[in-house]
Amino acid sequence: MSHVYLPGATIGVMGGGQLGRMLAFAARRTGYRVHIFSPEKDGPAAQVSNRSIVADYADEEAVKRFAADVDVITFEFENIPVQTIEWCAHDHDVRPAGAILHIAQNRLREKNFLAHAGIPLAPFRAVRSASGLKSALGEIGRPAILKTAAFGYDGKGQQAINEDANLEEVWSASSGNELVLEGAVAFEKEVSVLVARGTDGAIKTFPLCENIHRDHILDITVVPARVESSVERAAAELARSIAEKLELVGLLAVEMFLKANGDLLVNELAPRPHNSGHWTIEACATSQFEQQVRAVCGLPLGATNVLRPAAMANLLGDVWQSGEPDWSAALAVGGVGLHLYGKREPRLRRKMGHLTAFGADADEAIARVTAARSALQSGST
Ligand code: AMP
């Protein structure tokens, strides 16, 4: 029988970024203690946890010392070496399991797993050489996108191959490691579903998130998604089926493309809380972070209904370009909540925080959150 970790227990979190920070807030609110393992000193999660350890993921002694001090282990960051998770799993429950992390760490493994499970995907081929790229492109056709199989996120390590692209140039600009060529999807919208599965196999999906990207980085998420209810049902069904096939215990984000004909194609999985689920903190009966705590600790999953239409807007380091943002002006917009992650250096494209706003409907929530974000820089022109 799987173990239940009741409030008072210590949750060990691998990774120390903003997802760990919001997870720590949710865990501590519910009476858990939180211990963070991160290579970064005084990062977003360590600032709000009970304890933290700064060490490299490859430091076996530090990993084992961390594990000895916690009751159950989870992670907030995908690229934790599988060896590190194995050290943790030696005498602790790691949820989600290392095998799921292993799949999600590599696009090719992930796509093969999903294709095998009958999940609809954009056409893809593994590419390992210049000649392999040519033949894969012959099969998939243009336009296509070449992605690194590992360590890619927010569009990093991606190249679009349009009609006039020169394949030799594309190949020499690529990392040359294991790559995946994907057909470019002419999507109408990008959407995502967060799904949680408990130790007892119970599954709950959060309402469909509609995601608007800018320069490959998530910019705005809005709920309810402005789609037909049949799309919302189909997306939830896909997420549920992936969670079951992975035998997930924990939380998983499933990113999808919605085509104009209503078809959904799965783009990516992330077995952790996700940027597109931050709105759940204010606008959902249970936040994605609390849901992860519940799933990982073996408690009943919480209700996932939306309390009010809401929109989330990311605050990248770019917002600081002309000096300190005008927080008062943004917070003067009605129904807006500010989240800052405690990062000291506002670098361009770095996720520093987000705003969430409510509205009578999705459009009004977007208008409010956008107005609040614009107000941040209103005094700087
Ligand atoms: P990813 O790192 O795979 O999540 O890709 C980042 C963003 O690039 C996605 O959110 C899409 O906006 C875009 N993108 C990725 N793959 C495709 C594709 N096959 N077709 C069209 N756009 C894509």
Side-chain angles (χ1 to χ4, degrees), residues 49-345:
S49 63
N50 300 86
R51 291 185 66 184
S52 63
I53 188 166
V54 181
D56 195 89
Y57 293 120
D59 182 343
E60 181 173 358
E61 187 276 324
V63 172
K64 291 189 171 162
R65 195 156 29 95
F66 162 78
D69 282 342
V70 305
D71 294 300
V72 60
I73 297 173
T74 188
F75 43 85
E76 63 90 70
F77 170 67
E78 237 128 292
N79 287 315
I80 313 258
V82 166
Q83 169 74 78
T84 308
I85 298 294
E86 278 170 12
W87 292 327
C88 293
H90 184 66
D91 47 11
H92 281 79
D93 281 325
V94 178
R95 298 172 176 169
I100 297 178
L101 192 70
H102 185 63
I103 291 173
Q105 280 175 350
N106 179 290
R107 287 186 197 277
L108 201 53
R109 274 200 293 271
E110 185 174 287
K111 285 179 189 295
N112 283 327
F113 171 85
L114 292 168
H116 191 70
I119 302 296
L121 302 171
F124 71 95
R125 295 284 183 280
V127 169
R128 294 186 180 87
S129 63
S131 61
L133 173 60
K134 190 161 178 247
S135 55
L137 197 62
E139 287 170 25
I140 283 183
R142 300 180 191 226
I145 302 182
L146 188 64
K147 302 182 177 179
T148 52
F151 295 109
Y153 64 96
D154 288 343
K156 288 187 182 134
Q158 294 193 15
Q159 290 190 75
I161 306 183
N162 299 322
E163 292 311 325
D164 52 356
N166 175 317
L167 278 201
E168 274 161 31
E169 281 169 20
V170 169
W171 177 254
S172 50
S174 78
S175 66
N177 293 328
E178 193 178 45
L179 302 161
V180 182
L181 185 75
E182 256 179 61
V185 179
F187 57 79
E188 192 176 76
K189 282 181 196 291
E190 295 192 66
V191 293
S192 57
V193 178
L194 286 143
V195 56
R197 184 169 173 276
T199 47
D200 58 354
I203 291 184
K204 279 202 193 282
T205 55
F206 282 87
L208 188 68
C209 310
E210 178 180 341
N211 301 324
I212 302 161
H213 288 74
R214 193 194 283 174
D215 296 334
H216 295 282
I217 301 181
L218 182 65
D219 186 40
I220 287 178
T221 294
V222 65
V223 277
R226 294 161 298 177
V227 301
E228 300 286 334
S229 53
S230 57
V231 168
E232 173 126 22
R233 279 197 301 277
E237 202 38 58
L238 278 177
R240 171 179 283 272
S241 137
I242 295 168
E244 263 166 6
K245 295 209 161 102
L246 284 171
E247 295 182 34
L248 172 77
V249 173
L251 189 73
L252 173 80
V254 184
E255 293 181 42
M256 307 176 197
F257 299 126
L258 171 62
K259 295 185 19 177
N261 64 2
D263 284 355
L264 288 161
L265 299 176
V266 170
N267 175 35
E268 244 194 329
L269 305 180
R272 51 163 173 79
H274 194 255
N275 194 170
S276 65
H278 291 354
W279 60 271
T280 57
I281 294 174
E282 285 102 345
C284 221
T286 310
S287 79
Q288 62 165 345
F289 301 101
E290 181 181 337
Q291 197 75 307
Q292 185 182 12
V293 169
R294 289 178 179 230
V296 164
C297 293
L299 295 175
L301 299 178
T304 53
N305 49 303
V306 181
L307 305 174
R308 293 191 268 184
M312 184 277 328
N314 269 334
L315 300 178
L316 303 184
D318 310 43
V319 173
W320 276 252
Q321 248 188 323
S322 313
E324 189 65 21
D326 188 346
W327 303 117
S328 304
L331 291 174
V333 178
V336 167
L338 171 66
H339 299 248
L340 290 173
Y341 307 147
K343 298 183 184 177
R344 296 208 186 345
E345 228 189 297

